[in-house]
Structures are given as structure tokens and as C-alpha cells.
Amino acid sequence: MLDKIPNEKEMIALIGQSLYDVWKKLCVLIEERYDMDCLWDKGGKTWIYEYKYRRGGKTLCALYARDNCIGFMVILGKEERNKFERDRSNYSKEVQTIYDKTQTYHDGKWIMFKPTDTSLFNDFVALLSIKRKPNRNETAVIL
């Protein structure tokens, strides 16, 4: 666990203002659709921070931060991968390429995106809906 959760100023110093804006918009996008527990943690060897969305012991997704970089990870198990593959033509070429290049482990594909803007947010929403149906009324307009 983290000793101290980073504040806005610390996050901006770490990832920069433009990526912080993307981070905040991604959080809003998730939180408008899902009622989840949000957990801060250390980011392991590769990242400084992890911000995980969980409910009922299951992780929906996680955001990561390090110097001038953010990450968005979704883990798709076997059935979830089947759903993605049946519908893959509805995803952007970039998401399809990242999916294809991601190694498959015994517990699924740990798909890491490194967004620099909001252009993949529609795809992120679709990936999250494979994992779990939104449990809040959608009022947000996707950017």
C-alpha cells in the first residue's frame, strides 16, 4: 500500500498537465458508468502509482502513472477475449494491434494502453462493458 496518496499537484509534476487532463477525463468516464471501489497502490517495477477500480473482489481496470506517461490496463479472460474477437472489427486498428501484440497468459490478456489523448475512450468503454455491464445510469458524453 501507499504511504500517501498523490495529490493533484504531485500528479501533474509526475505526468504533466496534458496527461493529467487525460487521466482525469478517463476517471470521470469510468466513474460515471461504474460504482466501484478505487484503490491507490504502488505501481510495481514499471510504474510509480496504480489506481485500481474494483468491486466485489474483481478488478474492472487500472490506471498507472510514471514520469510523463500514463497507462490504462484491462485484463480479458478467455470468455472476454472471445467476446472481443467476435466484435473486433468495431474497435480501432490501434486497439486491435495492441490486443494482438499482448501476450496471452493462463489467466488472460493483460492489455496495457498508454493514452496520450481521449481518442481511444470509446474503445475503452466498449472493453470495460465486456468485463462488466455499467451499474450507473450513463449521463456522460464520450469525448
Side-chain angles (χ1 to χ4, degrees):
M1 282 303 219
L2 281 180
D3 297 331
K4 179 182 171 295
I5 294 172
N7 62 33
E8 179 178 359
K9 191 174 182 180
E10 292 165 330
M11 286 295 290
I12 291 169
L14 178 65
I15 62 178
Q17 184 66 57
S18 65
L19 286 179
Y20 183 72
D21 292 344
V22 173
W23 174 286
K24 291 303 294 177
K25 288 175 183 174
L26 186 51
C27 289
V28 167
L29 189 74
I30 296 164
E31 291 163 13
E32 286 179 336
R33 287 166 176 74
Y34 295 94
D35 181 20
M36 305 295 262
D37 296 323
C38 300
L39 308 166
W40 282 96
D41 205 351
K42 295 176 184 169
K45 294 177 184 176
T46 308
W47 301 90
I48 294 174
Y49 297 117
E50 174 188 66
Y51 187 61
K52 193 179 290 188
Y53 287 91
R54 288 178 65 90
R55 186 175 184 130
K58 293 196 171 203
T59 299
L60 175 68
C61 63
L63 279 67
Y64 294 88
R66 66 178 181 223
D67 291 332
N68 300 308
C69 186
I70 62 173
F72 172 73
M73 180 182 282
V74 177
I75 301 170
L76 298 182
K78 185 175 183 178
E79 285 305 312
E80 296 159 339
R81 290 193 325 269
N82 289 340
K83 287 179 186 177
F84 173 85
E85 289 167 12
R86 282 193 301 267
D87 202 30
R88 72 179 287 133
S89 63
N90 293 323
Y91 290 86
S92 67
K93 291 292 182 200
E94 184 176 352
V95 167
Q96 291 179 46
T97 299
I98 292 168
Y99 176 88
D100 291 340
K101 289 182 177 179
T102 299
Q103 183 174 347
T104 303
Y105 296 99
H106 71 282
D107 59 348
K109 271 191 184 272
W110 295 46
I111 309 167
M112 177 64 81
F113 300 93
K114 294 178 183 164
T116 56
D117 57 33
T118 61
S119 64
L120 296 179
F121 280 18
N122 286 324
D123 286 344
F124 293 171
V125 168
L127 287 169
L128 293 176
S129 69
I130 288 175
K131 293 207 48 88
R132 183 183 197 123
K133 288 190 185 337
N135 59 1
R136 286 195 170 157
N137 292 334
E138 293 184 41
T139 57
V141 174
I142 298 175
L143 305 172

